[in-house]
């Protein structure tokens, strides 16, 4: 630590000594289209230095002494503009954005003159106004002003967006499977082995440059989404050399400083979220068939020595405060006073200790034909879920600007997200007829997600007509490992809860329940390549028209393996099992001296294999796409973006269904996906948008595989179905946008979506706690969204820019939706035995976000109060005799206060997250009212913590 302090001090002093000049950097765009003006001329009036904008419209004036400057901007057939009051500070980069308006005739026009601040706000407004489709944009500056630590936190601020389970995106009320995730333009794989979803909490918010959620389709974007396409752009090349160090500590009101429990098993790499082999199945361990059919009881007993060092005990300790550390370093190298090479490195480390304490219940089967049925409780469990979460994220980006027409970049991200859970559960099981009979479970559940993404790309401009070529080659790899999910169970009777009697032993030929160990490994690779060509052309005297064509290929491959082992009693021949072992505590019962034939001549434990034939699968898919798109402007106020995208899809999956039958899927299908986006500019501040698009949603590998997995937290067995087909969606959108200026925005949208064969997650009829993926017959979603962002000074009619109320920004957005689904023929049941009036699984009826922000640049004080609320939504769809399970609405309130010092070199923040700390509740909707009533019963409910954190960031 002392060495780090000396290094930081040296770098800080060096930056002060060497910082003798500043920069002006920015982007120049066409005011009508938002497109960068390639080759635009910019002259620094004070020095008469003239440069040209590059292929994206970017420019930089370097090596400027501190002072105030003016820039004259010009471009063919555009009105010349002079930007003044540009303040340059030594060792700083002043960023400005400029927009130029096209001339209406050849008449001479006097140069417009505007301040740098006003012009930058105007240009940013131009970028928002000229998006080709209905979308929402969050910048790094907006992220900085919130308490958000992860990308999932950022997403829930967006209109019509929310987050489920603290990591999965819900857009326009549609669950995670209907959203697509991209990073720097390249596709991201699912991070979950048991659902089609991406865990956005993997990426810390600190590495984001911006985040865009596209809600309508254009041919140049993937056609596989219905809710939203989420495109994460990580930080790119900095405008100057810098070093940033940040540290924060936080207090969790439920667990910090209080007693926590954790597994005895610890590895040397736990602190970075990796298992070092302490928990893993040993190499060379016999196969499932060998253990079940070949090995003798004595040989199975001998296998137990492989687990002699595995510890089944539980330790007590005190939960430490949560903490986060971030280190970023940026480099900017110039050649001949021009941008040439840039590099950015970032490391983020986050560790959180949490406790979810609550209850989970189950009830007997239910008849949907009855208007209301009084449920009889079958199971009741009290849960304590302790988790040690580790997030490690590293970023490395490089960019080379060969000249104004050619740029190459290489972006890399590595993230490790690990949950190390210890679950303590006590209660009556579903099948227990004796009300005084209780189970006491302890589960150790270590899950590690490792994701690496890399994108190599380039942007080039060629020819006198400025044809633009962009290309990107992407690679992603996801490793999801459960090195050992182990479980011990003791049984007893009331009222002796603290000393529940006997270890629950397995049948000698089976592995169910106590002493079991589950191992799984899911490895997935995605390789992708795409290229796009954009050609500008003149149409009806407007040069801001573009035709865009492109093609690409994506290849995914996944291998999933799993294994279930357990300790069964050695009870063969003349050797009988020593039942006295079952009364030993869990840290003593499964010791080496109790394996095989013990010294007293009685039987102890041996290894038994409970792996099912369908526990493994391998799968692959490929997508070849091509598209053509035209972006046309005519009659000055009209814009039409239209085209068609072709996606040729091939999906394969190989798995055992049982010991005899296999599944060998090979699905091939070609889809043509047309889309049209129409924009009418009523005036310079108001847009009307209309959109239609055809999109699809394909089943994920896991949803097709017959693999059966028991989710211990929810208590459900989850399996896939190989008969699933893709869902088809028709999307209709309408939006009115009003941009009054000064970064203010008002918009209202309406949308309607029709689904054919929507994919859902529902309970399986006539079973206990089992859920599957299905195609419902059809569905629809419709709703409205409204959003505004305004200064309080505007609401009170105050036009003075530096007025006190102009420092406050009030923003809010809300989405109100309704959906329905048809289930004819599901599971072969008649319609009379199915729920006929429910929302799509995962769909919320409303989402509300609002925030009030304060920012004073002179004092360096800023503050934000944010509120988020999501309505009741179907978590698991019901079927014949199981009601829908809903997630109950809750309100989340966050607060942040920040203060900058030393000319913004040092920033201190205080954050309070989830101030209301409302319970996380899930309930059975027995009366089918779609909201909680006294006739319903809780499926589960858990306490939510309040989290208070303090952070400091030093930049030099």
């Amino acid at each position: 630590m002392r060495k780090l302090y000396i290094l930081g001090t040296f770098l800080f002093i060096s930056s002060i000594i060497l910082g003798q000049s500043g920069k002006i950097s920015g982007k120049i765009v066409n005011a009508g289209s938002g497109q960068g003006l390639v080759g635009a001329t910019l002259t620094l009036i004070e020095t008469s230095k003239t440069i040209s904008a590059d292929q994206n419209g970017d420019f930089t004036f370097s090596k400027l002494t501190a002072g105030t400057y003016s820039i004259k901007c010009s471009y063919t057939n555009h009105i010349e503009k002079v930007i003044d009051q540009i303040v340059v500070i030594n060792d700083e980069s002043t960023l400005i954005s400029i927009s130029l308006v096209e001339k209406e005739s050849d008449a001479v026009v006097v140069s417009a003159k505007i301040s740098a601040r006003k012009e930058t706000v105007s240009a940013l407004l131009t970028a928002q106004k000229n998006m080709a489709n209905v979308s929402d944009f969050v910048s790094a500056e907006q992220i900085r002003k919130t308490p958000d630590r992860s990308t999932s936190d950022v997403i829930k601020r967006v209109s019509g967006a929310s987050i489920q389970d603290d990591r999965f995106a819900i857009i326009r009320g549609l669950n995670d499977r209907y959203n697509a995730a991209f990073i720097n333009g390249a596709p991201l794989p699912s991070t979950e082995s048991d659902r089609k979803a991406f865990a956005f909490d993997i990426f810390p918010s600190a590495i984001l440059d911006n985040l865009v959620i596209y809600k309508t389709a254009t041919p140049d974007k993937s056609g596989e989404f219905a809710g939203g396409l989420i495109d994460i752009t990580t930080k790119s090349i900095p405008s100057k050399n810098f070093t940033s160090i940040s540290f924060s500590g936080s207090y969790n009101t439920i667990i910090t400083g209080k007693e926590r429990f954790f597994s005895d098993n610890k590895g040397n790499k736990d602190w970075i979220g990796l298992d070092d082999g302490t928990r893993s199945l040993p190499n060379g361990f016999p196969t499932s068939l060998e253990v079940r059919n070949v090995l003798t009881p004595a040989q199975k007993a001998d296998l137990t020595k492989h687990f002699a060092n595995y510890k089944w005990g539980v330790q007590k300790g005190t939960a430490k405060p949560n903490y986060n550390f971030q280190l970023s370093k940026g480099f900017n190298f110039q050649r001949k006073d021009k941008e040439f090479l840039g590099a950015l490195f970032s490391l983020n480390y986050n560790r959180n200790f949490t406790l979810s304490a609550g209850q989970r219940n189950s009830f007997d089967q239910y008849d949907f034909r009855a208007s209301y049925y009084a449920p009889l409780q079958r199971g009741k469990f009290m849960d304590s879920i302790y988790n040690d979460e580790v997030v490690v994220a590293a970023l490395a980006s490089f960019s080379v600007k060969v000249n104004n027409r050619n740029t190459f970049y290489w972006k890399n991200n590595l993230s490790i997200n690990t949950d190390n859970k210890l679950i303590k559960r006590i209660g009556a099981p579903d099948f227990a007829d004796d009300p005084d009979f209780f189970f006491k479970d302890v589960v150790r559940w270590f899950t590690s997600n490792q994701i690496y993404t890399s994108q190599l790309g380039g942007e080039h401009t060629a020819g006198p007509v400025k044809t633009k070529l962009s290309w990107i080659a992407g690679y992603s790899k996801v490793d999801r490992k459960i090195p050992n999910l182990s479980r011990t169970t003791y049984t007893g009777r009331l009222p002796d809860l603290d000393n529940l009697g006997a270890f629950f032993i397995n049948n000698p030929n089976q592995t169910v329940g106590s002493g079991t160990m589950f191992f799984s490994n899911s490895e997935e690779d995605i390789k992708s390549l795409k290229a796009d060509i954009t050609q500008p052309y003149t149409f009806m005297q407007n040069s801001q028209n573009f035709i865009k064509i492109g093609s690409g290929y994506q290849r995914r491959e996944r291998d999933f393996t799993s294994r279930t082992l357990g300790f069964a009693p050695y009870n063969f021949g003349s050797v009988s099992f020593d039942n006295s072992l079952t009364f030993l505590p869990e840290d003593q019962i499964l010791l080496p001296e109790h394996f095989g034939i013990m010294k007293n001549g009685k039987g102890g434990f041996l290894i038994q294999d409970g792996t099912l034939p369908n526990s493994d699968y391998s799968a692959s898919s490929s997508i070849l796409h091509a598209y053509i798109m035209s972006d046309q402007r005519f009659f000055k106020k009209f814009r039409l973006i239209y085209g068609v995208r072709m996606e040729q899809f091939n999906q394969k999956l190989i798995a055992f269904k049982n010991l005899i039958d296999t599944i060998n899927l090979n699905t091939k299908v070609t889809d043509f996906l047309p889309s049209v986006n129409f924009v009418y500019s009523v005036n310079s501040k108001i847009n009307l948008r209309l959109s239609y698009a055809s999109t699809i949603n394909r089943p994920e590998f896991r949803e097709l595989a017959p693999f059966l997995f028991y989710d211990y937290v929810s208590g459900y067995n989850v399996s896939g179905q190989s008969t699933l087909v893709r869902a088809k969606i028709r999307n209709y959108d309408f939006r009115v946008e009003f941009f009054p200026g000064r970064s203010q925005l008002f918009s209202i949208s309406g949308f309607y979506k029709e689904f054919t064969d929507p994919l859902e997650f529902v309970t399986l009829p006539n079973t206990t706690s089992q859920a599957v993926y299905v195609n419902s017959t059809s569905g629809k979603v419709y709703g409205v969204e409204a959003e505004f962002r305004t200064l309080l000074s505007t609401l009170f009619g105050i036009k003075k820019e530096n007025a006190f109320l102009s420092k406050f920004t009030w923003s809010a957005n809300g989405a109100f939706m309704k959906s329905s689904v048809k289930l004819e023929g599901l599971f072969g049941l008649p319609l009379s035995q199915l729920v006929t009036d429910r929302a799509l699984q995962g769909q919320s009826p409303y989402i509300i976000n609002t925030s009030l922000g304060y920012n004073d640049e002179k004092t360096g004080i800023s503050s934000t109060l944010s509120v988020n609320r999501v309505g009741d939504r179907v978590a698991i769809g019901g079927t014949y005799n199981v009601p829908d399970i809903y997630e109950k609405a809750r309100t989340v309130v966050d607060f942040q206060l920040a203060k900058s010092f030393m000319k913004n070199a040092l920033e201190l923040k205080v954050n309070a997250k989830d101030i209301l700390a409302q319970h996380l509740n899930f309930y059975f909707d027995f009366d089918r009212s779609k909201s909680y009533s006294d006739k319903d019963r809780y499926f589960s409910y858990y306490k939510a913590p309040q989290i208070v954190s303090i952070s400091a960031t030093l930049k030099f």
Side-chain angles (χ1 to χ4, degrees):
M1 192 70 186
R2 183 171 177 270
K3 291 180 178 179
L4 182 62
Y5 171 77
I6 294 172
L7 176 61
T9 303
F10 172 76
L11 292 173
F12 180 64
I13 294 173
S14 299
S15 66
I16 296 175
I17 295 174
L18 298 175
Q20 299 297 321
S21 63
K23 293 181 182 179
I24 300 175
S25 299
K27 188 181 188 73
I28 183 167
V29 300
N30 176 278
S33 68
Q35 297 288 332
L37 295 178
V38 182
T41 301
L42 302 103
T43 301
L44 194 65
I45 295 176
E46 285 73 15
T47 64
S48 299
K49 183 177 180 179
T50 299
I51 61 173
S52 298
D54 67 11
Q55 76 270 22
N56 295 313
D58 296 326
F59 64 89
T60 299
F61 288 99
S62 304
K63 296 184 179 180
L64 303 178
T65 58
T68 302
Y69 293 85
S70 301
I71 296 177
K72 183 170 70 173
C73 314
S74 60
Y75 191 72
T76 305
N77 296 324
H78 286 65
I79 299 174
E80 190 177 89
K81 182 180 288 187
V82 175
I83 313 300
D84 62 4
Q85 302 178 32
I86 307 172
V87 178
V88 173
I89 301 172
N90 280 337
D91 199 38
E92 293 289 337
S93 181
T94 302
L95 300 177
I96 65 171
S97 296
I98 303 169
S99 60
L100 297 184
V101 178
E102 289 187 81
K103 294 179 182 178
E104 295 186 8
S105 66
D106 293 331
V108 177
V109 180
V110 179
S111 297
K113 195 170 185 178
I114 190 169
S115 69
R117 181 181 177 183
K118 288 184 178 180
E119 176 61 20
T120 294
V121 171
S122 174
L124 292 175
L125 186 66
T126 296
Q128 290 181 350
K129 192 169 65 173
N130 286 286
M131 296 292 288
N133 40 16
V134 176
S135 57
D136 292 287
F137 177 87
V138 183
S139 67
E141 182 64 18
Q142 290 173 295
I143 295 170
R144 190 184 65 82
K145 294 178 180 178
T146 68
D148 301 338
R149 284 289 178 191
S150 69
T151 301
S152 58
D153 293 329
V154 175
I155 290 173
K156 70 182 181 183
R157 310 288 180 192
V158 175
S159 176
S162 64
I163 290 294
Q164 192 174 45
D165 299 334
D166 291 326
R167 58 186 62 182
F168 305 117
I170 308 293
I171 309 296
R172 287 182 162 177
L174 295 170
N175 69 26
D176 42 33
R177 67 155 304 103
Y178 287 108
N179 304 310
F182 284 71
I183 183 168
N184 302 316
L188 281 166
S190 172
T191 56
E192 308 304 296
S193 58
D194 290 297
R195 62 195 294 183
K196 184 175 183 177
F198 186 83
F200 285 96
D201 61 338
I202 283 179
F203 295 127
S205 61
I207 72 170
L208 301 188
D209 184 65
N210 63 70
L211 180 146
V212 182
I213 298 181
Y214 298 98
K215 296 179 179 176
T216 61
T218 51
D220 59 338
K221 299 287 190 300
S222 169
E224 191 178 3
F225 76 95
L229 190 154
I230 304 167
D231 195 357
I232 300 167
T233 301
T234 57
K235 289 185 176 179
S236 190
I237 306 311
S239 57
K240 65 168 186 173
N241 294 342
F242 78 93
T243 301
S244 175
I245 300 175
S246 177
F247 180 82
S248 69
S250 62
Y251 178 85
N252 181 315
T253 55
I254 289 181
I255 189 65
T256 303
K258 300 179 177 66
E259 185 178 67
R260 67 177 282 255
F261 293 85
F262 52 93
S263 171
D264 268 346
N265 293 288
K266 291 182 179 179
N268 295 327
K269 298 180 181 179
D270 281 11
W271 68 278
I272 56 171
L274 300 175
D275 177 61
D276 64 353
T278 300
R279 305 168 179 84
S280 302
L281 186 66
N283 292 329
F285 198 83
T287 66
S288 296
L289 290 176
E290 289 174 331
V291 175
R292 283 198 299 263
N293 303 326
V294 178
L295 301 184
T296 65
Q299 290 173 317
K300 293 179 182 180
D302 189 55
L303 288 179
T304 56
K305 68 182 180 181
H306 291 285
F307 304 97
N309 295 324
Y310 190 82
K311 299 178 181 179
W312 294 83
V314 174
Q315 291 186 9
K316 293 182 180 180
T318 301
K320 301 175 184 178
N322 302 330
Y323 57 92
N324 172 266
F325 174 76
Q326 297 175 11
L327 173 63
S328 300
K329 181 67 178 176
F331 299 93
N332 184 289
F333 302 98
Q334 294 187 349
R335 184 178 66 176
K336 297 179 181 180
D337 294 338
K338 292 184 179 181
E339 303 289 343
F340 174 62
L341 174 65
L344 177 66
F345 304 93
S346 178
L347 177 66
N348 182 288
Y349 181 84
N350 191 55
R351 192 162 191 178
N352 292 316
F353 301 94
T354 63
L355 167 62
S356 298
Q359 181 175 320
R360 189 183 70 80
N361 307 301
S362 62
F363 297 86
D364 63 354
Q365 293 183 343
Y366 167 76
D367 187 356
F368 274 121
R369 292 167 291 185
S371 59
Y372 172 69
Y373 181 77
L376 175 66
Q377 186 157 358
R378 296 285 296 170
K380 179 180 179 181
F381 297 94
M382 301 304 297
D383 279 359
S384 296
I385 305 174
Y386 299 87
N387 190 24
D388 178 0
E389 180 190 26
V390 174
V391 177
V392 182
L395 175 149
S397 295
F398 306 89
S399 178
V400 177
K401 182 180 287 187
V402 179
N403 50 43
N404 278 353
R405 287 176 170 261
N406 297 280
T407 299
F408 298 89
Y409 61 86
W410 183 32
K411 294 186 176 184
N412 302 272
N413 297 275
L414 173 64
S415 295
I416 301 171
N417 188 316
T418 296
D419 291 320
N420 191 357
K421 293 179 180 177
L422 186 130
I423 305 172
K424 301 182 72 176
R425 174 174 290 173
I426 184 171
D430 295 352
F431 54 82
D433 296 324
D434 184 346
D436 293 335
F437 183 76
F438 268 75
F439 270 21
K440 183 177 181 180
D441 280 354
V442 175
V443 174
R444 304 149 193 83
W445 189 350
F446 186 97
T447 304
S448 178
N449 277 308
Q450 303 168 47
I451 178 169
Y452 169 70
T453 67
S454 180
Q455 300 87 35
L456 177 66
E459 296 179 344
H460 315 276
T461 302
V465 291
K466 301 180 176 65
T467 302
K468 186 174 180 178
L469 167 67
S470 61
W471 59 273
I472 182 171
Y475 174 76
S476 296
K477 183 177 179 62
V478 174
D479 285 347
R480 178 180 168 87
K481 301 180 187 297
I482 301 179
N484 196 330
L485 193 167
S486 62
R487 175 183 179 185
T488 54
T489 302
Y490 280 75
T491 63
R493 297 176 57 80
L494 287 175
D496 191 16
L497 292 179
D498 293 328
N499 298 292
L500 292 180
F503 185 79
F504 181 76
I505 60 174
N506 301 300
N507 182 291
N509 297 313
Q510 295 178 346
T511 303
V512 288
S514 192
T516 57
M517 297 175 290
F518 173 79
F519 312 83
S520 74
N521 185 29
S522 177
E523 296 184 355
E524 182 170 342
D525 291 337
I526 291 185
K527 303 177 183 70
S528 62
L529 177 65
K530 69 173 185 176
D532 306 281
I533 298 175
T534 304
Q535 177 64 61
Y537 66 94
T538 300
F539 177 73
M540 297 183 67
Q541 298 182 341
N542 190 316
S543 62
Q544 293 298 308
N545 301 285
F546 303 90
I547 188 166
K548 190 174 183 180
I549 61 173
S551 183
Y553 180 79
Q554 175 189 311
R555 173 75 178 177
R556 291 181 61 194
E557 295 178 312
R558 176 188 288 185
D559 284 315
F560 178 86
T561 58
S562 66
R563 191 82 180 267
T564 301
L565 300 173
F567 289 88
Y570 194 108
N571 200 14
F572 296 92
S574 61
V575 179
S576 60
F577 177 69
D578 189 346
N579 284 295
S580 66
L581 294 177
T582 63
F583 295 96
L584 294 175
E586 65 176 356
D587 61 344
Q588 297 178 28
I589 187 171
L590 296 174
L591 295 178
E593 55 265 31
H594 299 148
F595 296 157
I597 301 176
M598 299 187 296
K599 291 182 179 179
N600 61 6
K602 294 186 176 182
F605 294 96
L606 51 72
I607 287 293
Q608 190 60 273
D609 197 300
T611 307
L612 298 175
N614 61 9
S615 296
D616 300 346
Y617 65 89
S618 60
S620 66
S621 69
S622 62
I623 301 176
L624 174 65
H625 79 258
Y627 71 88
I628 181 169
M629 181 179 84
S630 181
D631 186 348
Q632 286 181 315
R633 292 165 174 79
F634 47 97
F635 299 125
K636 297 181 182 178
K637 293 180 177 292
F638 298 94
R639 182 184 180 192
L640 193 64
I641 304 101
Y642 61 95
V644 64
R645 181 182 182 91
M646 182 277 294
E647 292 191 356
Q648 188 179 83
F649 180 68
N650 181 206
Q651 187 174 50
K652 299 178 181 180
L653 184 139
I654 300 174
F656 280 98
K657 192 173 184 178
N658 49 51
L659 287 172
I660 300 174
D661 301 320
T662 61
I663 294 175
N664 196 339
L665 291 179
N666 188 356
T667 302
K668 296 180 180 180
V669 64
T670 300
D671 290 293
F672 290 91
L673 307 172
S675 63
V676 179
N677 287 267
F678 173 76
V679 184
Y680 170 55
S681 298
V682 178
N683 53 44
S684 61
K685 295 183 178 181
I686 299 177
N687 277 344
L688 299 181
R689 293 180 180 269
L690 291 172
S691 174
Y692 166 78
S694 293
T695 59
I696 52 176
N697 187 249
R698 302 182 179 102
E700 179 61 38
F701 297 141
R702 172 61 184 98
E703 297 165 344
L704 296 165
F707 168 64
L708 183 70
F709 174 72
Y710 177 69
D711 184 336
Y712 191 85
V713 173
S714 69
Y716 269 78
N717 289 294
V718 180
S719 62
Q721 292 200 99
S722 60
T723 56
L724 296 179
V725 298
R726 75 192 187 289
K728 298 179 181 179
I729 309 106
R730 292 189 294 272
N731 308 269
Y732 306 86
D733 286 81
F734 170 73
R735 174 178 278 196
V736 180
E737 302 170 330
F738 175 45
F739 302 91
R742 300 176 69 187
S743 295
Q744 298 176 105
L745 166 68
F746 296 87
S747 72
I748 185 167
S749 307
F751 60 90
Y752 178 79
K753 298 176 183 291
E754 293 180 340
F755 293 78
T756 302
D757 300 321
L759 288 147
E760 297 194 292
F761 184 58
V762 302
T763 53
L764 192 64
N766 301 313
T767 63
T768 301
S769 300
Q770 186 163 341
V772 297
Y773 301 94
V774 299
N775 283 114
S776 299
T777 306
S778 62
K780 61 182 178 181
V781 178
Y782 56 91
V784 295
E785 293 177 328
E787 179 180 14
F788 72 83
R789 183 173 63 249
T790 185
L791 301 175
L792 290 190
S793 57
T794 300
L795 295 179
F796 289 93
I798 300 173
K799 297 182 179 180
K800 191 177 179 181
E801 284 194 25
N802 58 357
F804 176 70
L805 289 182
S806 67
K807 300 174 184 178
F808 289 88
T809 301
W810 181 26
S811 63
N813 61 71
F816 299 88
M817 299 147 289
K818 185 175 179 61
S819 71
S820 62
V821 63
K822 292 184 179 180
L823 305 170
E824 290 96 331
L826 191 62
F827 301 118
L829 296 172
L831 193 60
S832 61
Q833 295 183 0
L834 295 168
V835 178
T836 57
D837 179 26
R838 71 160 170 84
L840 279 167
Q841 183 257 322
Q843 191 268 330
S844 303
Y846 66 85
I847 301 169
I848 299 174
N849 295 295
T850 185
S851 67
L852 179 64
Y854 171 82
N855 185 40
D856 188 339
E857 295 181 359
K858 290 185 178 180
T859 62
I861 296 176
S862 63
S863 180
T864 304
L865 178 67
S866 305
V867 181
N868 170 265
R869 182 173 175 83
V870 180
D872 294 23
R873 56 191 173 197
V874 178
I876 303 177
T879 48
Y880 168 50
N881 48 12
V882 182
D884 297 326
I885 297 176
Y886 274 80
E887 180 182 356
K888 194 175 181 181
R890 67 189 300 266
T891 302
V892 177
V893 178
D894 300 328
F895 176 75
Q896 174 176 281
L897 177 65
K899 175 71 170 75
S900 297
F901 302 89
M902 301 163 54
K903 296 182 179 180
N904 297 324
L906 175 65
E907 183 178 53
L908 301 180
K909 288 183 182 179
V910 178
N911 293 325
K913 189 174 182 180
D914 203 356
I915 295 173
L916 300 182
Q918 296 181 346
H919 285 193
L920 301 167
N921 297 324
F922 293 79
Y923 63 89
F924 293 100
D925 186 26
F926 279 106
D927 65 355
R928 292 176 287 177
S929 65
K930 302 181 180 65
S931 61
Y932 185 76
S933 71
D934 58 0
K935 295 180 179 180
D936 297 325
R937 298 293 184 271
Y938 280 118
F939 169 67
S940 66
Y941 60 86
Y942 294 95
K943 296 178 181 179
Q946 298 163 315
I947 299 175
V948 179
S949 64
I950 300 175
S951 65
T953 301
L954 177 64
K955 297 179 181 179
F956 51 90

